[in-house]
Amino acid sequence: MNRTSASAFVFALSMVLSTAAHAQTIPEKLTADKILELSDLSRNGWSDYAVRTTIENYEDGKLEEVGRFDVTIKGADRTLVKFLNADVKGQYLLMVDDDMWIYMPDTRKPIRITPLQRLMGDASNGDVARTRYAQDYSAKLLREEVLDGTPCYVLDLRAKRDGATYNHIEYWIAKGTDRPRRAEIYLISGKHYKSISFDKYEETGGRTLLTQMTITDRLRSGRTTIMKYDSYGPKELPDKYFNKDYLEKLR
Amino acid sequence: MNARALIAAALILAASPLRAQDLDYRLSIVDEGTLNRLNMDTPLNYRNGTVPQPDRGNIATSNLSLGVGGFSVLLNLSTSTDNLHSPDYSYSLRECSFNYSISDAWDITIGKKILKWGTGYAFNPTGVVEPQRSPSDPSDRLGENEGLDLASLDFFAGKSSITLVYVNESGIASRKWYRGKQQVALRAYTFISGLDLSFIGHYAEADRLELGTNWSYVVGDNLELHGEFLGKQGSSNLYDQIIETDDARQIYSSYPYAALYDHSSRIFYKVLVGGQYTFDDGINIAVEYYRNMEGLSPAQWKRWMNYVKFQSNIQRGLIPMSPELVDASRYNLLWALYSLSPRGSMRDYIFGREYWGTNPWGVELIQFVNADDFSVVIVPTVSYRISEYLSAYARLSVFAGSSESEFGSLFYDGILNVGVQVQM
């Protein structure tokens, strides 16, 4: 091999290596925001849909409380949560954009509530009702790493609207499937607040969707919440169901 | 009336093409024991002699809510007993209505229904077609509120709605139809820039047109603020005539109530401002200030109280009178009690509620303060959730204030309620 041929070989090799290296990172058009948007599809199979959600609260491994909810989501910004437990039967939570109302059958009127007023346990209202992260957060790629054998993108999510459930999330998304795998949530102060692991995905209605996730409280040790999802399906409710004044007509 | 409505509701439900998945139901059964500590010194009920009150009792009450299609029924069955009365049974159809969705935008509702329009927690001046409630029991734990016979038309458009309600209180009593008061109310609601905003108009037969507004707004993650206003020119409220007389030594020979301000050009308003704050650990604090210009001023209350004391002294034999006048005075004392309202009889009130809950415990503290005489009702409640279906609670109501103040002169010094609730 002469010098010219050698140079050409090195050049070609470097091109191949550089292309290969590039293939290991995100394709040019797959931005962090796009990855986030794709990951939302694993939690939201349709634009308008309903899902039965079960929340189990554990304290030091002991099951303390179980809550069951029918969640109906319309588009990106409207969610209606029907409470199914006997002691809160007939209760509804309505979220429209960043605003929330709760309707209790005993008081017979929708009451405006603040984001901190929780459904139960460590699950915030947003954990149940705001599952389209791309609407609420802007994303930045921090790094790529292998999590439990799965190569993942690690995104840094920052709230871009007031109604976002959290201020700062570190978010692991599996490469190839775009499924969320893990989330570490931080308070504005920087304190580690919660860890979420996205445990199970199952085939439902022709799509692979999240069916179980676990929330671990990092501020109060021993507290864990498991959220289970089933009976996913498309469901389109008229707009008026998401008007605060329609709540008293629901059962 | 109730029996007919009950039969109608049963027929409607029986005739409906019922499928198990269409039927929504909710059942609550409460058994509550009560111990009362009587206020034996109050001139309203000296030595428990004017209107004898029990010092212990028990109530078992069940509320069954059924819904199928557009039909909704809410039925209450109760039995109560106390140390003065033999067991009493009662039932009431609290609601029986049919809602029909004409289109995605329009709904019509006909029947007996509880409608609540205000944004306040304990007080709702703009709740013009809602049942009256007690601020010391805003959640109506025994399910005593009943709906009104009404027809309503709703229009929904995005984040706005308009509701027109017609109420007719006519009915049948002792097999005879009677013509009751008719009311019309209109509410226009919108949600704009985070502000819940409603405008309300209400006219009741033989009363004045009332106009008002209510709103609520959330600031940040923790704070919610709300307010209500309702005003009208003049008032058709009935008042004991004694409130306009400085000489308390009066014995009326007939019912002394009259619409004293019916032709007044004064604006009678009710205003509420309040808010609630939720701490990061879940503790919730709600505070409301309420002013009702239809309530008695401190001067009017004093006149009324002096008059009550005068009648009470006659009953106690401290002021010698002929037997006929003693009899008449007794009626005056009984009539005077109509001036009392569980929502407060005077003008200015402050309500506070603190709540903390962590499964299975819930702790609530309510304060209902008369801001004119600083008497107060304090209601601590502890609840324990035994299971999803069963809970227990203990609730103490303490009435405090000077002997001539509103809450210091009530029939009780304290009430202890202990209950269990089954829900399914």
Side-chain angles (χ1 to χ4, degrees):
Chain A
M1 191 181 289
N2 62 30
R3 183 182 281 242
T4 311
S5 304
S7 300
F9 176 74
V10 170
F11 177 70
L13 185 62
S14 70
M15 284 301 288
V16 168
L17 286 175
S18 107
T19 309
H22 193 253
Q24 295 276 314
T25 61
I26 314 168
E28 210 167 305
K29 286 186 180 171
L30 197 55
T31 61
D33 284 328
K34 185 67 184 170
I35 298 168
L36 184 61
E37 205 180 309
L38 289 171
S39 75
D40 281 346
L41 295 176
S42 303
R43 303 182 66 187
N44 304 274
W46 300 265
S47 165
D48 299 353
Y49 69 97
V51 59
R52 168 77 48 93
T53 303
T54 304
I55 301 179
E56 298 173 353
N57 277 323
Y58 293 85
E59 184 121 25
D60 297 323
K62 187 183 161 211
L63 180 62
E64 294 283 327
E65 196 179 8
V66 179
R68 297 180 306 279
F69 309 90
D70 272 344
V71 181
T72 307
I73 292 180
K74 189 176 178 77
D77 54 3
R78 287 178 287 181
T79 307
L80 186 63
V81 180
K82 181 180 184 180
F83 294 59
L84 302 176
N85 279 29
D87 52 350
V88 283
K89 215 174 191 180
Q91 201 165 304
Y92 281 89
L93 172 78
L94 172 66
M95 286 184 79
V96 178
D97 292 321
D98 302 341
D99 302 285
M100 282 183 272
W101 296 262
I102 196 148
Y103 174 82
M104 285 178 274
D106 290 337
T107 57
R108 291 307 176 94
K109 63 175 182 179
I111 297 169
R112 188 81 179 272
I113 60 169
T114 65
L116 265 180
Q117 288 172 279
R118 287 178 185 162
L119 284 181
M120 61 176 283
D122 291 321
S124 64
N125 298 326
D127 288 324
V128 174
R130 296 202 76 95
T131 52
R132 287 189 164 101
Y133 279 11
Q135 300 289 331
D136 291 347
Y137 304 94
S138 54
K140 204 171 82 181
L141 180 70
L142 283 180
R143 59 185 180 275
E144 294 174 25
E145 70 179 36
V146 176
L147 179 71
D148 300 328
T150 307
C152 291
Y153 300 120
V154 184
L155 304 186
D156 182 78
L157 309 187
R158 301 280 172 166
K160 65 180 179 188
R161 52 192 286 179
D162 289 342
T165 313
Y166 304 110
N167 180 257
H168 177 203
I169 303 174
E170 255 182 57
Y171 203 33
W172 280 254
I173 296 168
K175 292 170 79 172
T177 61
D178 300 314
R179 290 176 197 155
R181 297 298 306 270
R182 193 168 109 188
E184 299 295 345
I185 292 158
Y186 299 90
L187 298 174
I188 298 176
S189 62
K191 231 180 209 179
H192 195 184
Y193 180 31
K194 290 178 184 177
S195 296
I196 302 178
S197 68
F198 299 86
D199 307 323
K200 275 190 203 165
Y201 290 89
E202 286 172 35
E203 190 78 13
T204 173
R207 292 142 211 255
T208 305
L209 297 171
L210 178 72
T211 55
Q212 184 174 313
M213 68 186 214
T214 304
I215 304 171
T216 305
D217 193 324
R218 296 297 176 195
L219 297 180
R220 290 166 293 183
S221 67
R223 291 169 69 111
T224 307
T225 298
I226 295 179
M227 296 179 65
K228 295 176 178 171
Y229 305 95
D230 63 82
S231 312
Y232 275 107
K235 183 175 182 180
E236 201 171 332
L237 288 177
D239 283 349
K240 64 185 176 187
Y241 278 69
F242 299 89
N243 185 305
K244 178 204 83 166
D245 283 337
Y246 201 78
L247 289 172
E248 55 104 0
K249 297 185 186 297
L250 301 175
R251 284 196 315 267
Chain B
M1 174 64 179
N2 269 336
R4 281 161 187 261
L6 189 59
I7 292 164
L11 288 174
I12 287 165
L13 285 171
S16 303
L18 245 174
R19 287 177 298 164
Q21 67 268 31
D22 290 335
L23 178 69
D24 273 294
Y25 71 94
R26 203 164 70 89
L27 175 65
S28 163
I29 301 170
V30 177
D31 188 85
E32 182 179 282
T34 300
L35 285 176
N36 299 322
R37 184 185 159 90
L38 302 178
N39 181 358
M40 303 299 259
D41 298 326
T42 175
L44 275 62
N45 198 23
Y46 187 75
R47 296 282 175 232
N48 202 21
T50 312
V51 186
Q53 298 296 303
D55 56 23
R56 59 190 178 278
N58 185 273
I59 181 166
T61 185
S62 67
N63 284 284
L64 175 65
S65 165
L66 290 172
V68 58
F71 290 103
S72 292
V73 173
L74 177 56
L75 177 68
N76 174 271
L77 298 167
S78 291
T79 171
S80 59
T81 182
D82 58 53
N83 61 308
L84 297 182
H85 306 96
S86 51
D88 185 33
Y89 304 90
S90 66
Y91 66 88
S92 66
L93 197 59
R94 296 175 57 204
E95 287 188 295
C96 179
S97 67
F98 176 67
N99 182 75
Y100 179 68
S101 279
I102 302 166
S103 70
D104 281 359
W106 293 90
D107 269 43
I108 188 165
T109 305
I110 295 172
K112 186 175 184 180
K113 190 161 174 63
I114 298 172
L115 280 185
K116 292 193 177 179
W117 282 0
T119 52
Y121 186 81
F123 307 97
N124 281 115
T126 56
V128 288
V129 285
E130 73 177 55
Q132 305 300 349
R133 74 174 92 170
S134 164
S136 59
D137 183 20
S139 61
D140 186 26
R141 73 187 190 287
L142 297 177
E144 291 167 331
N145 290 343
E146 277 194 34
L148 295 171
D149 293 323
L150 57 83
S152 77
L153 182 66
D154 297 279
F155 172 71
F156 298 94
K159 294 178 178 178
S160 303
S161 67
I162 295 173
T163 304
L164 177 66
V165 180
Y166 165 73
V167 178
N168 191 327
E169 294 176 42
S170 300
I172 297 170
S174 308
R175 300 189 173 206
K176 281 189 179 167
W177 184 84
Y178 65 89
R179 188 181 180 283
K181 197 163 72 171
Q182 298 182 75
Q183 304 177 53
V184 180
L186 180 75
R187 174 185 59 174
Y189 161 77
T190 192
F191 183 71
I192 183 164
S193 302
L195 181 72
D196 269 307
L197 183 63
S198 293
F199 293 98
I200 286 157
H202 173 242
Y203 177 73
E205 216 175 353
D207 204 337
R208 305 296 183 93
L209 175 69
E210 296 179 300
L211 296 171
T213 181
N214 66 51
W215 58 271
S216 70
Y217 189 74
V218 166
V219 183
D221 283 352
N222 307 70
L223 181 64
E224 181 266 354
L225 300 169
H226 57 260
E228 298 187 34
F229 174 86
L230 189 75
K232 62 183 174 182
Q233 192 175 42
S235 169
S236 60
N237 261 19
L238 299 178
Y239 294 91
D240 196 319
Q241 291 175 55
I242 197 65
I243 64 168
E244 296 210 314
T245 311
D246 281 325
D247 185 0
R249 292 169 301 167
Q250 307 285 336
I251 297 177
Y252 296 102
S253 56
S254 61
Y255 191 61
Y257 283 77
L260 299 177
Y261 309 111
D262 201 18
H263 301 292
S264 168
S265 57
R266 237 172 75 199
I267 299 296
F268 284 78
Y269 65 86
K270 298 172 184 175
V271 66
L272 166 89
V273 285
Q276 54 161 328
Y277 189 90
T278 305
F279 290 87
D280 293 352
D281 57 5
I283 292 174
N284 179 267
I285 291 180
V287 178
E288 289 183 345
Y289 167 73
Y290 175 54
R291 164 163 269 215
N292 174 12
M293 290 305 287
E294 285 189 304
L296 301 183
S297 68
Q300 289 171 328
W301 174 266
K302 193 171 179 189
R303 288 176 193 143
W304 178 85
M305 180 53 80
N306 286 339
Y307 164 75
V308 166
K309 280 161 57 185
F310 174 67
Q311 309 302 340
S312 178
N313 286 339
I314 293 173
Q315 297 306 307
R316 291 165 63 187
L318 299 177
I319 301 172
M321 290 274 171
S322 66
E324 295 80 25
L325 284 176
V326 171
D327 253 11
S329 157
R330 179 171 167 73
Y331 278 106
N332 278 235
L333 185 52
L334 288 169
W335 287 330
L337 300 180
Y338 288 125
S339 292
L340 298 174
S341 161
R343 290 166 295 136
S345 313
M346 295 178 70
R347 289 190 177 165
D348 299 285
Y349 293 91
I350 296 167
F351 169 87
R353 174 188 182 262
E354 299 79 42
Y355 178 80
W356 174 77
T358 181
N359 190 48
W361 293 97
V363 180
E364 181 188 65
L365 182 64
I366 283 177
Q367 309 88 45
F368 180 28
V369 183
N370 180 322
D372 292 319
D373 63 18
F374 297 103
S375 59
V376 61
V377 186
I378 298 172
V379 188
T381 303
V382 177
S383 57
Y384 184 82
R385 185 178 183 266
I386 299 160
S387 76
E388 180 186 334
Y389 304 97
L390 183 64
S391 57
Y393 62 88
R395 180 178 190 271
L396 181 67
S397 306
V398 178
F399 303 84
S402 72
S403 60
E404 294 182 12
S405 64
E406 182 178 15
F407 300 134
S409 64
L410 288 181
F411 291 7
Y412 306 101
D413 287 329
I415 300 172
L416 174 66
N417 308 112
V418 179
V420 289
Q421 182 174 26
V422 177
Q423 288 170 293
M424 52 187 77

